[in-house]
Amino acid sequence: SMGIFDVFKGGTPELTPRLALAVSLLFMTSADGAIEQEEFGVLLSNLHGDEKLLDKAMAYGRATKFDDFILSSASILNDAQKHCILLNLADSLLSDGRAAPQEQALFEKFLNGWSVTKESFQSHLNVIIKKNDHSIFG
């Protein structure tokens, strides 16, 4: 017989590397609380306008705790995919020039969860910081 919550059973999509990118961006975007309307626009452009993927990511994110996601994603992502996602996360959280403490803490959880050392990622981070530092133009 159908339980009252069985309707949600099909609600959690299977995690793929592509979905992991979207879910990661979603978790990072919501690190400081609610997702603002303009943040959705940025999210969507990071996903090349793929609304279906964003919907899937939201369904997955609602059903899944961050720590469970990190474990699941660690086992399906290769190093190139992990680095690509981390670069996208860093770019989105540094786009306004500074990262909020919650965002920094979450970023470190990504690094730890995927066994990427801060040291090995620092040079990538420096490039993104340079890219987003428009203060040099006065």
Side-chain angles (χ1 to χ4, degrees), residues 5-132:
F5 294 112
D6 286 357
V7 65
F8 297 118
K9 281 231 170 88
T12 313
E14 192 189 338
L15 194 61
T16 62
R18 202 166 144 62
L19 183 57
L21 165 65
V23 171
S24 297
L25 286 163
L26 201 56
F27 272 122
M28 186 55 82
T29 306
S30 55
D32 57 357
I35 301 179
E36 308 295 327
Q37 198 53 50
E38 68 268 16
E39 289 180 312
F40 268 113
V42 174
L43 248 174
L44 207 49
S45 72
N46 276 330
L47 301 175
H48 304 291
D50 190 338
E51 290 181 23
K52 251 205 197 101
L53 182 61
L54 183 54
D55 285 346
K56 249 185 175 172
M58 289 175 70
Y60 183 94
R62 274 196 294 270
T64 313
K65 291 190 182 70
F66 179 79
D67 293 338
D68 294 332
F69 164 67
I70 275 293
L71 275 175
S72 307
S73 57
S75 63
I76 64 157
L77 295 170
N78 63 35
D79 285 348
Q81 291 166 336
K82 287 174 186 170
H83 275 94
C84 179
I85 293 175
L86 289 167
L87 286 165
N88 276 277
L89 293 178
D91 198 31
S92 75
L93 75 97
L94 292 167
S95 60
D96 54 2
R98 49 173 296 281
Q102 308 95 298
E103 294 173 328
Q104 289 181 40
L106 190 62
F107 190 77
E108 291 192 12
K109 281 189 181 177
F110 274 101
L111 290 174
N112 296 334
W114 291 345
S115 308
V116 177
T117 65
K118 262 183 168 166
E119 294 71 34
S120 73
F121 200 72
Q122 193 59 53
S123 61
H124 298 296
L125 215 46
N126 293 343
V127 172
I128 291 176
I129 290 167
K130 279 197 181 106
K131 168 195 174 271
N132 289 318

